Amino acid sequence: MLGGSSGANYMIYVRGSREDYDDWANQGNEGWNWDNVLHYFKKSERMIDPAILNGETAQNHNTNGYLGVTRPDWKEKTEPLYEAFKENGHRILSDIHGDQQVGYYYPTFTFDNHIRQSTANAFLSPIRDRPNLFVLKNTLARKVIFDDKKAIGVEVLLPGGKVSEVFANKEVILSAGTINSPQLLMLSGIGPAAHLEENNIDVLLASPNVGENLQDHACVLLIVAGKRNIVSAVQNLAGFVHLDSFPSPVVAGHVALDRKQTYPDYQAVLFVEPAASLTASIICATVVGLEYSICNEISYAIQDRESLIVAMTLLKPDSKGKIELKNKDPLEKVKIYSGFYSNKNDLEQHARSVEDFSTIVNTTYFKSVGSELVNVNLEACKNFTYGTHDYWKCYALNMVSTLWHPVGTCAMGPEGVGVVDERLRVRGVTGLRVSDASIMPAITRGNTNAPTIMIAEKTADMIKLDHGISIEV
């Protein structure tokens, strides 16, 4: 799909924390600190929200970029929730993209004028008539073509089944994503030598960290049942009537378990739902793919009650997975090892995060509407007392899913560590770069769409500079 996952995501625009990018730089990646990357976040952005543009964080935004970013006004339905979070000791931020990056905030989204701002729509559509732009649709890149160790082109599979070769005048850039970019490198002979050999692929370059360092945001679904109001069920129809807007009001928070901390440990995204929520069923069964018995428990509990569907995300996991080839066939899907909770500290941290969030039901507003966490009666957790730390550990282990934020499998880093260098050039060969979420050495604390777009903006400037073209500063 043109635009990749930006054409199918939930469109939440979050850049991550200052500490994320300063950490990238401290790992040996010069030029990727917060003060540097902020320029590229701003460069791509076309902020539309007047309150932000006239507020104290206006200097962190731009109105001239390609990517439309706006903020729906849901205050009538969400203000009591923000008051409850404030009562519970959390900051309420008008904009998460200011100097303060911990608290509950009014989220911004990548849509504009009722249209999703996928990268295809935002960046490609305005320049589709440029004579130097040509897009091969429904075409699969099979491998990179090398002359010795210089990348000179790409072998592709065309829609009709013909295999063809496309050659580069200057360099080849892989932007196939965290799953497919390492696959392409390995199919081209760049990767862990033993793994390539066992798949009968000639080793062009032994690069042991290709496909390693896979990181993702582990997500656990929580349901808060609230006011009994069966009449509100009719509001479920709004999602079908207003297909050009976001289906539900959303509240978001980046929360530190230590309230003095300047960076968050978990993200809570709350979908504000009427009785008999259809969104809950869709998210449970389709988005996170939980067992039908769990989804049925949720549906029964909220059939006549308003609810909050809460995505609880561990923002900075220590666990890592990897990508491996099944075989040398480019059409074969890779093997994905998520690595969730392979570091036991992550399970502890995720359980603590759920416990921390759950205290919201003790606030004045939540008590007034009779709110309670929905017990989904997990068979695997029946021997634990509901609501204890051990129960929430069991709950997280049995409810965990991906937030679809994989990164890191072609990570940049110093010689001997990074698959690519700080200018995203593949180490050990020439004429080849990678520019997508796979180059992140560590996952950012937040949704990864905006950081990936920032990476592309920065890559464009580095390519220009490396080929003697001046850039705007």
Side-chain angles (χ1 to χ4, degrees), residues 47-109:
M47 174 56 71
I48 298 158
D49 186 77
I52 289 177
L53 294 174
N54 292 304
E56 59 185 14
T57 62
Q59 73 278 4
N60 292 335
H61 295 282
N62 179 33
T63 59
N64 299 316
Y66 281 112
L67 185 69
V69 180
T70 191
R71 181 168 60 179
D73 184 1
W74 290 314
K75 287 187 178 181
E76 183 179 341
K77 293 186 176 181
T78 61
E79 206 58 31
L81 302 177
Y82 287 105
E83 288 298 322
F85 285 116
K86 183 177 181 180
E87 178 186 330
N88 212 31
H90 299 283
R91 294 185 183 90
I92 305 303
L93 309 175
S94 60
D95 180 16
I96 192 62
H97 302 117
D99 293 336
Q100 177 55 250
Q101 297 177 324
V102 174
Y104 279 82
Y105 57 95
Y106 303 88
T108 49
F109 294 82

Side-chain angles (χ1 to χ4, degrees), residues 448-464:
T448 52
N449 185 46
T452 305
I453 293 171
M454 176 277 293
I455 289 167
E457 287 281 10
K458 185 170 170 58
T459 305
D461 271 5
M462 291 190 294
I463 292 169
K464 290 177 183 177

Side-chain angles (χ1 to χ4, degrees), residues 46 57 86 112 131 137 143 161 189 195 214 220 237 312 333 399 430 440:
R46 180 166 43 84
T57 62
K86 183 177 181 180
D112 172 33
K137 295 187 290 186
K143 66 178 181 179
H195 182 55
L214 174 64
V220 167
L237 298 175
M312 289 287 302
K333 303 298 183 184
M399 294 284 284
T430 60
M440 296 187 192

Side-chain angles (χ1 to χ4, degrees), residues 373-391:
L373 293 174
V374 172
N375 184 348
V376 297
N377 295 309
L378 291 170
E379 179 68 20
C381 303
K382 63 182 181 181
N383 293 326
F384 298 102
T385 302
Y386 181 79
T388 62
H389 180 69
D390 284 340
Y391 171 83

Side-chain angles (χ1 to χ4, degrees), residues 355-381:
E355 288 178 279
D356 184 72
F357 176 84
S358 68
T359 61
I360 194 65
V361 299
N362 300 320
T363 59
T364 303
Y365 170 74
F366 278 80
K367 283 183 176 180
S368 73
V369 296
S371 291
E372 59 184 349
L373 293 174
V374 172
N375 184 348
V376 297
N377 295 309
L378 291 170
E379 179 68 20
C381 303

